[in-house]
Amino acid sequence: MLLARQNFALCVFRSYSSQRLLTISNHKPLPFRAPALYTYSTQPKAITHEHQNQPPAQFSLTLNPPTSTLPPPLLLPTSEPNLPATEKLKFYYRTGKAYLAFYKTGVKALWQNYKLVRQLRLRIPSGQSAEEALRAGLLSRGEYHLIRRTKSDVSRVPLFILVLAICGEFTPIVVLFLGLSGAVPRICHVPRQIDGAREKAEARRRESFREGTIASAEETEKVEDMQQLPRPIMLHVSRSLGLYSPLWDRIGVVPTILLPRRIQKAVERIDVDDLAIERGGGVKHLSEEELKLAAEERGLDVVGRPRDELGSVLGRWIDARKRASTIDLLCRRPSAWPRA
């Protein structure tokens, strides 16, 4: 196991010390090619009859970022009941190796994404944000989310590599039991970690709605600066979007001074994403996982919802945005959104 950890650390070091960058013309679209390091496709998959009760449809490469921005498949060994002690040890060893391979694949994919982002940034004028470039049509929605997710994941790499070097195959146990999900790049989140985070986020959102935070359209439409938001609405929106840790609620001291700027940035991201989805042909062209991520970003519940229902709710959101502000929709359940 120690040798496997050393080999993994050496691989990561070599990857991050490499300075070879691909060049790209500003006049040619960036092709998403699957590097040899990937063990999973970088192209969004088409719907098939085997996993959808609807006619096959092709997902838009313009709207969907490469699937290399998502966690790779986690292939765990199977175990038979009542195994002897020696076989159990072998099973645990194979399980540890499977997790190590999962993390290694995720980090390699992140490195490839980082190189793609370096190319994409050549299209963006100096001083312009990714949101501004998307609004101006310099980036597609898929490219925009590739940049966003890679930037977020790369910032977590140093601490994650340290945890991985210390804990090795036991990293998932340490992350889950010590609550270190924030230190792990999203591309390396295991399925249990993702499901647990979603369930906690939705439980927190339900609790916030139970407190009775309902904003009137008149109240939110008049707000031009997030500093002017009433405190109950500010707290509800922040909890709904996960803009601050639940720990602050437990200790009774919420950093409200930081929330207006975070809300403003979140609203800007949602608004430009709404524009990009409409411009790209609508929610029907989003893959199932992208539908879930888009719904999460708008404070919508996704656990247990089939693809059709998610697409319907997200489509209603984009339609309701024509008649209400983002803050107004965030403070209401979908049943209370304005209709045509």
Side-chain angles (χ1 to χ4, degrees):
M1 291 186 184
L2 180 60
L3 180 61
R5 295 183 199 175
Q6 291 174 342
N7 290 338
F8 174 73
L10 181 61
C11 174
V12 173
F13 175 79
R14 286 175 177 172
S15 296
Y16 275 83
S17 62
S18 174
Q19 297 298 318
R20 294 177 300 169
L21 295 175
L22 302 176
T23 58
I24 184 171
S25 169
N26 290 336
H27 303 288
K28 296 181 180 180
L30 177 67
F32 289 115
R33 292 186 294 270
L37 292 174
Y38 290 176
T39 59
Y40 58 113
S41 172
T42 59
Q43 298 293 348
K45 298 178 181 179
I47 300 176
T48 61
H49 288 290
E50 286 74 22
H51 63 278
Q52 288 293 336
N53 295 320
Q54 60 184 31
Q58 181 64 42
F59 296 144
S60 168
L61 298 178
T62 301
L63 289 180
N64 296 276
T67 56
S68 61
T69 61
L70 304 174
L74 176 59
L75 306 176
L76 295 176
T78 57
S79 174
E80 298 293 333
N82 302 320
L83 287 175
T86 55
E87 292 300 319
K88 282 186 178 180
L89 287 176
K90 291 180 181 179
F91 167 74
Y92 292 138
Y93 175 72
R94 291 195 299 270
T95 300
K97 288 188 66 176
Y99 276 111
L100 197 61
F102 169 82
Y103 288 132
K104 185 176 179 180
T105 301
V107 172
K108 286 181 176 180
L110 177 57
W111 173 241
Q112 297 298 323
N113 291 342
Y114 174 74
K115 293 194 291 186
L116 290 176
V117 168
R118 292 291 297 267
Q119 300 172 44
L120 281 174
R121 288 201 175 277
L122 298 177
R123 299 186 192 173
I124 305 176
S126 178
Q128 191 174 72
S129 67
E131 286 77 18
E132 291 170 335
L134 177 59
R135 193 179 294 274
L138 299 177
L139 294 174
S140 69
R141 181 183 184 272
E143 293 166 341
Y144 165 71
H145 280 284
L146 171 62
I147 292 174
R148 273 192 59 199
R149 294 173 192 175
T150 302
K151 179 180 178 181
S152 174
D153 282 349
V154 165
S155 67
R156 303 179 185 186
V157 164
L159 182 56
F160 174 64
I161 293 298
L162 177 62
V163 173
L164 191 59
I166 296 173
C167 303
E169 296 86 344
F170 300 99
T171 298
I173 299 174
V174 174
V175 167
L176 290 172
F177 280 91
L178 297 184
L180 298 178
S181 293
V184 180
R186 190 177 180 93
I187 199 173
C188 292
H189 282 195
V190 298
R192 181 179 175 184
Q193 195 175 350
I194 294 173
D195 294 341
R198 283 173 173 166
E199 290 169 0
K200 289 179 180 178
E202 293 184 13
R204 188 184 186 195
R205 191 177 301 126
R206 286 194 297 270
E207 180 63 28
S208 185
F209 271 111
R210 276 197 294 267
E211 292 179 2
T213 303
I214 300 296
S216 66
E218 295 78 10
E219 191 176 13
T220 56
E221 287 292 348
K222 293 178 181 178
V223 174
E224 297 179 357
D225 185 350
M226 296 305 165
Q227 297 280 358
Q228 302 173 3
L229 279 177
R231 179 183 171 86
I233 295 177
M234 183 186 300
L235 292 177
H236 171 74
V237 171
S238 300
R239 290 167 182 156
S240 184
L241 299 182
L243 301 182
Y244 71 91
S245 171
L247 177 63
W248 293 105
D249 284 325
R250 289 197 288 269
I251 64 178
V253 181
V254 179
T256 53
I257 191 172
L258 304 175
L259 300 184
R261 177 173 174 78
R262 293 181 182 180
I263 293 174
Q264 183 67 49
K265 293 179 69 174
V267 168
E268 289 174 358
R269 289 194 298 265
I270 292 171
D271 288 347
V272 75
D273 197 45
D274 288 344
L275 174 64
I277 292 174
E278 279 197 294
R279 194 162 57 192
V283 298
K284 64 180 179 292
H285 297 296
L286 291 174
S287 66
E288 183 171 358
E289 188 58 32
E290 290 302 322
L291 275 175
K292 291 180 180 179
L293 293 173
E296 282 183 304
E297 191 167 26
R298 291 157 177 81
L300 303 175
D301 295 345
V302 302
V303 175
R305 282 185 160 179
R307 186 185 189 282
D308 289 347
E309 185 178 351
L310 279 173
S312 175
V313 173
L314 187 58
R316 285 181 52 205
W317 166 284
I318 293 177
D319 182 66
R321 271 292 289 115
K322 300 172 183 177
R323 289 173 288 278
S325 68
T326 300
I327 295 294
D328 188 20
L329 298 187
L330 288 170
C331 292
R332 298 175 183 273
R333 286 298 195 182
S335 59
W337 290 347
R339 296 177 179 268

